[in-house]
Amino acid sequence: MNVSLARKRAILAMVSWCGLIPPFVSWSFIPTIPQISKDMNSTPSVVSLAVSLSIFAASLGGLWGASYSTFYGRRIVYLSSLPLLCLGVAWSRSIPEVMVWRFIQLFAGASPGLSVGAGVIGDIYKLEERGGAMGIFLAVYSLGPALAPPAGGIIARYASWRAMQLALAIAGIVAFVSVFLFFPETSYPGERGIDKVQPVSAPTWWGSWKPFLVNPLRPLYLLRSPNLLAVSLVGFVTLLASYVLLVPLAFTFGARYGIVNDALIGACFLPAGIGNIVGAPLAGGLSDKIVAKWRQRRGGVWYPEDRLRATLIGAAFLVPVPVLISGLLSQFVGGTTSLIFNLICLFINGVGVDIVLSPSAAYMVDIMHSRSAEVMAADSGLRFFLMSSSMAVILPLINMIGVAATNALAALLAWIALGILLGIIRYGTQMRAWVDVGYSTAENN
């Protein structure tokens, strides 16, 4: 799509705002659980079921948004999903109402923002520009896990958990108005599914095209590709290594360093979030330069897996090494110095995670350009599903074998993921030949 630089930046800003909303919806809820349980005469364990439900809703919502954006276009999915952010949760009077509205909020309201946003970036940015744009998009997305927990806790403490939900509704309204007024359809003419079907013989009140039901699970079929499946599993293992640090943070840091203030524990999440914000654009720009460099070295021949070379320093050192060191510090070393080094480990790990994830996301868009939103949805759907089951194991495993051993296991898995990345880089062409899911070429990228 031929778009001016200024217009590209404006579109990137809009889709990044829409991409920021899903993690805010998810992560700002967690610190408000005690207040919600008290307000509704329930228990935190019951209210926390909404967290697991939201992970499930997010995975389905991404698949739904991606499937329909490929068929009908990006703009209509944004305009139909964003209003649903504004409904329900803030006015809920019982736990079942919270559950239902949280599901709608994540499934139909927020979750399409990530997969559809990646699809838009694939639409408007050239191959050699895509990594940098994807890095900025993911850096803004990473603000959510960093800022949402303290924001949710502070607003709940000084106002109400309902006020946080109203703030999210306002964010959704701002996004809706921006998209409605300024966002063009970015799908290539003739590429949408609706452009390829026959019109009905007589126009109907909804236009000259009849409505179609689209299978929301269709994107998962792309994971037949060994390249896409392998990269998605690498992303899962990378995130798992990070979550081994973050999920039990209140337990490990609180118990080891005597931190009982919830605000201080929440602040301990910030180094990881700042690391994500630094790592995503850094890796995105680096991957663009690597693609251009290796393409020139090959005499103009594009080899998609060259982009994955940008992930190697993160996969080899920045992700696993801080996890390993943090486990040793948390179990065997105490005091302020240990706490400071642990926070440094969180920052370095945060940088490393996005150095792996950002080029990986751009790579998937590169090789599935015409179905970029769908491939991102399939990736995040698989990742959410695996994470939802894995997160339940982390704390019991720490109780069973200790922090150091658990972190060492996570670091080992991260090094196995490094081996998988090296294999994809080396044998990418042969792997793509095993199963053809409609890969893009240099000509249509």
Side-chain angles (χ1 to χ4, degrees), residues 3 55 66 122 125 180 205 211 223 290 310 320 358 384 416 438:
V3 183
I55 294 174
Y125 280 94
F180 182 79
W205 64 269
L223 295 178
I290 288 175
S358 180
F384 280 136
I416 292 174

Side-chain angles (χ1 to χ4, degrees), residues 343-366:
L343 295 175
I344 293 172
C345 286
L346 286 172
F347 170 77
I348 295 173
N349 177 264
V351 173
V353 165
D354 270 33
I355 282 181
V356 174
L357 295 184
S358 180
S360 298
Y363 166 75
M364 287 190 281
V365 172
D366 286 347

Side-chain angles (χ1 to χ4, degrees), residues 22 33 185 427:
I33 287 175
E185 178 53 58
Y427 300 106

Side-chain angles (χ1 to χ4, degrees), residues 16-333:
S16 296
W17 178 255
C18 294
L20 176 62
I21 293 174
F24 250 89
V25 172
S26 298
W27 288 84
S28 64
F29 186 81
I30 295 173
T32 67
I33 287 175
Q35 191 177 105
I36 295 173
S37 62
K38 183 178 180 180
D39 191 24
M40 297 189 176
N41 296 316
S42 185
T43 63
S45 60
V46 172
V47 179
S48 64
L49 291 175
V51 177
S52 299
L53 184 66
S54 68
I55 294 174
F56 177 67
S59 61
L60 289 182
L63 294 168
W64 169 82
S67 299
Y68 277 88
S69 77
T70 300
F71 192 84
Y72 283 107
R74 319 300 191 196
R75 176 179 164 85
I76 191 172
V77 170
Y78 277 127
L79 293 178
S80 60
S81 64
L82 287 169
L84 297 176
L85 265 174
C86 311
L87 300 176
V89 179
W91 291 274
S92 298
R93 299 300 176 196
S94 66
I95 296 299
E97 284 185 34
V98 170
M99 298 287 188
V100 170
W101 285 116
R102 280 286 291 177
F103 185 90
I104 294 173
Q105 189 184 49
L106 265 297
F107 169 74
S111 296
L114 180 59
S115 56
V116 179
V120 170
I121 290 171
D123 294 339
I124 65 174
Y125 280 94
K126 297 177 183 177
L127 180 65
E128 292 84 0
E129 303 171 339
R130 196 171 295 148
M134 190 69 73
I136 294 171
F137 176 67
L138 292 178
V140 175
Y141 175 84
S142 298
L143 286 171
L147 300 181
I154 291 170
I155 292 176
R157 179 177 177 85
Y158 294 104
S160 166
W161 68 271
R162 299 180 191 276
M164 185 68 231
Q165 295 300 318
L166 289 173
L168 292 171
I170 292 171
I173 292 171
V174 170
F176 176 83
V177 171
S178 299
V179 170
F180 182 79
L181 294 177
F182 306 114
F183 187 84
E185 178 53 58
T186 62
S187 298
Y188 284 74
E191 289 292 323
R192 297 177 303 173
I194 193 69
D195 297 329
K196 300 174 183 178
V197 298
Q198 294 294 323
V200 293
S201 55
T204 58
W205 64 269
W206 54 77
S208 59
W209 299 96
K210 66 179 181 179
F212 288 88
L213 290 176
V214 180
N215 180 6
L217 300 181
R218 188 179 75 148
L220 294 177
Y221 202 51
L222 294 174
L223 295 178
R224 292 178 301 131
S225 161
N227 302 63
L228 296 175
L229 179 60
V231 170
S232 188
L233 290 176
V234 167
F236 158 67
V237 171
T238 301
L239 273 180
L240 180 63
S242 180
Y243 275 58
V244 164
L245 290 178
L246 295 176
V247 170
L249 190 144
F251 171 77
T252 54
F253 278 30
R256 185 64 184 171
Y257 304 112
I259 302 174
V260 295
N261 186 303
D262 290 339
L264 290 178
I265 290 176
C268 291
F269 284 88
L270 288 175
I274 295 170
N276 293 147
I277 296 165
V278 171
L282 181 69
L286 176 63
S287 73
D288 283 341
K289 292 178 181 178
I290 288 175
V291 168
K293 174 185 173 182
W294 280 85
R295 191 172 186 176
Q296 184 180 24
R297 185 178 292 184
R298 290 192 169 92
V301 176
W302 174 54
Y303 182 64
E305 285 72 27
D306 283 336
R307 190 180 292 278
L308 295 178
R309 296 178 188 275
T311 67
L312 296 181
I313 187 172
F317 302 107
L318 301 182
V319 171
V321 173
V323 173
L324 189 62
I325 293 174
S326 178
L328 295 172
L329 289 170
S330 297
Q331 184 159 336
F332 300 112
V333 183

